[in-house]
Amino acid sequence: MKELKILTVCLGNICRSPAAQGILETVAKRYPHIAFEFDSAGTGAYHVGDAPDSRSIKAMSEIGIDISKQRARKVTLEDFEYYDWILAMDAENLANLKRIQPAGSKAKLVMFGEYSPEVSFGAVQDPYYGQDDGFARMREHLLSMAESFIEYATSSSEGKAQ
Ligand code: 4NP
């Protein structure tokens, strides 16, 4: 059985990457022939051990996805060997990850919205300091990216990191 291990990463690991994980897990249920494993992490340690932001939990519960049991953690160097894909939410997250990425490590490290040269969904804006509508926008953005990404990652050997 093909395995795909996918880590979503943002700054605090309480708004975007937990939502991205929840959405990816939901989309992945349509692919029962693939053994997926998901987690999320932050480049910062401000919220380690915390549940996702209540606004993120609410935005996700509105579409029937429960992310309330996730707990924030900081990305580790081992993540670069364990995961096939590490999906950064924005360019700053990506730059921070590239800075610590061990040379020759396994994970394919990309910005989620630009997982292949042919796609450009852009960065997932940080909704933390904004209003509630930012969380609905984040959710819709993540939904379209997740559908497209899972299709890509499952349909070709290119989608799996070598
Ligand atoms: P996230 O949002 O990176 O999507 O989880 C943030 C959450 C908290 C902070 C920044 C961004 N913070 O600075 O505490």
Side-chain angles (χ1 to χ4, degrees):
M1 192 183 233
K2 181 173 176 174
E3 291 181 4
L4 272 178
K5 299 192 185 82
I6 299 168
L7 181 71
T8 57
V9 177
C10 60
L11 173 58
N13 192 209
I14 56 167
C15 296
R16 293 167 290 175
S17 58
Q21 180 186 339
I23 286 171
L24 285 166
E25 284 169 347
T26 303
V27 173
K29 286 186 187 142
R30 293 186 220 141
Y31 298 79
H33 57 292
I34 294 175
F36 285 100
E37 197 175 317
F38 296 99
D39 197 10
S40 67
T43 59
Y46 321 102
H47 294 280
V48 168
D50 291 356
D53 187 287
S54 59
R55 297 165 295 175
S56 216
I57 292 176
K58 178 168 172 283
M60 298 305 298
S61 75
E62 285 167 2
I63 57 166
I65 298 176
D66 179 13
I67 61 166
S68 66
K69 290 174 191 67
Q70 292 189 37
R71 292 296 176 266
R73 72 170 178 89
K74 193 174 177 201
V75 72
T76 67
L77 295 182
E78 289 73 33
D79 288 329
F80 290 88
E81 282 304 338
Y82 187 74
Y83 289 93
D84 296 301
W85 288 89
I86 297 182
L87 303 173
M89 296 299 117
D90 65 25
E92 187 185 329
N93 306 149
L94 181 64
N96 286 332
L97 288 165
K98 279 190 171 160
R99 237 191 313 277
I100 60 166
Q101 178 182 30
S105 51
K106 173 175 105 171
K108 199 170 162 74
L109 171 61
V110 293
M111 201 161 87
F112 190 16
E114 288 166 16
Y115 59 78
S116 90
E118 289 80 38
V119 299
S120 189
F121 289 94
V124 184
Q125 302 296 323
D126 187 349
Y128 185 65
Y129 293 105
Q131 311 300 316
D132 278 9
D133 64 345
F135 285 81
R137 267 203 308 279
M138 170 195 77
R139 179 186 65 210
E140 300 312 308
H141 196 183
L142 288 171
L143 277 167
S144 51
M145 288 158 59
E147 299 260 354
S148 167
F149 170 76
I150 292 284
E151 173 70 28
Y152 177 81
T154 55
S155 64
S156 77
S157 55
E158 273 179 327
K160 178 143 166 56
Q162 299 305 304

